[in-house]
Amino acid sequence: MDTVSMHQALITELPLVDALFDQYAERFGRDQTAYRNHVYRLVNLVALQQPLTEDTLEKLQVAAFFHDAGIWLAGTFNYLSPSARLACHYLHETGRGAWSAEVQDMILDHHKLSACEPGKTALVEAFRRADWIDLSRGLLRFTVPRPALRAVLRRFPNAGFHRRLLTLFLRQMATEPWRPLPMLRR
């Protein structure tokens, strides 16, 4: 398999991600650009941590698209399980069912506060770190060099993504103050 080298150029075209956004455009509404840029940032941040084969890049696209999609596609801020179910359904429908376990791990573990358990793939941990890098707006960088992170953030701007997360968090606080961040895991 060919390896995608992120140390030379950003990944700016993700055909599978774009096709999924086309399919669900109405569901994302005005949040589509913000979430799409977040997805592209995640893929690039993973690629900055490890080389990607064509299969790994395709698997990563599925996980990245669906990882928070339950917010919009299932209408919930407690979105990890719904997002994982949507991804697994998509994988089975498209003949990629063999990837379900790893993609599900990527989605379910992406908000873990600590490193993934031994036995999980390097891709699962790289995905977790990438989401934390993006969520923290680069305060956490792990192994990603600052200039590379700046290039990713410049190419795929926030477009209101963090503001939308704050709005959802405040709504969650108003309805379930005892469970403000139901997606966090230890």
Side-chain angles (χ1 to χ4, degrees):
M1 293 283 156
D2 291 333
T3 299
V4 175
S5 175
M6 262 306 298
H7 300 286
Q8 295 162 358
L10 292 173
I11 299 171
T12 59
E13 293 183 16
L14 296 169
L16 197 151
V17 164
D18 292 337
L20 285 164
F21 273 112
D22 287 346
Q23 180 179 345
Y24 291 104
E26 287 184 29
R27 302 290 294 277
F28 287 101
R30 62 187 168 95
D31 293 330
Q32 182 163 329
T33 298
Y35 186 55
R36 180 185 182 278
N37 285 358
H38 173 59
V39 168
Y40 268 76
R41 288 191 303 268
L42 286 187
V43 170
N44 278 282
L45 291 169
V46 170
L48 284 164
Q49 297 175 66
Q50 68 178 58
L52 302 176
T53 64
E54 288 180 30
D55 279 352
T56 304
L57 179 58
E58 196 168 317
K59 201 181 298 182
L60 179 56
Q61 288 182 71
V62 174
F65 175 81
F66 284 105
H67 81 286
D68 292 342
I71 294 170
W72 295 273
L73 304 182
T76 180
F77 198 54
N78 189 9
Y79 54 84
L80 292 182
S81 292
S83 295
R85 278 192 302 275
L86 288 163
C88 289
H89 177 76
Y90 171 80
L91 288 169
H92 287 286
E93 289 286 313
T94 59
R96 299 175 181 105
W99 294 350
S100 291
E102 188 174 22
V103 168
Q104 184 170 336
D105 285 346
M106 290 167 68
I107 294 169
L108 294 177
D109 288 353
H110 83 273
H111 282 305
K112 278 181 57 66
L113 297 172
S114 58
C116 295
E117 305 83 35
K120 301 279 174 108
T121 67
L123 186 60
V124 174
E125 177 61 14
F127 189 77
R128 183 192 74 82
R129 289 190 308 249
D131 195 67
W132 279 109
I133 293 167
D134 195 60
L135 183 64
S136 73
R137 299 181 96 164
L139 291 175
L140 297 173
R141 286 186 300 112
F142 299 97
T143 61
V144 174
R146 193 175 310 278
L149 175 60
R150 279 195 298 264
V152 171
L153 296 175
R154 202 169 28 254
R155 176 64 177 88
F156 303 104
N158 190 279
F161 182 71
H162 287 83
R163 184 177 40 238
R164 181 65 171 139
L165 293 180
L166 178 61
T167 301
L168 293 167
F169 167 73
L170 293 173
R171 186 180 305 153
Q172 178 73 15
M173 283 289 294
T175 58
E176 294 184 73
W178 59 91
R179 211 170 75 140
L181 297 168
M183 77 297 288
L184 284 184
R185 305 219 169 159
R186 289 183 183 241

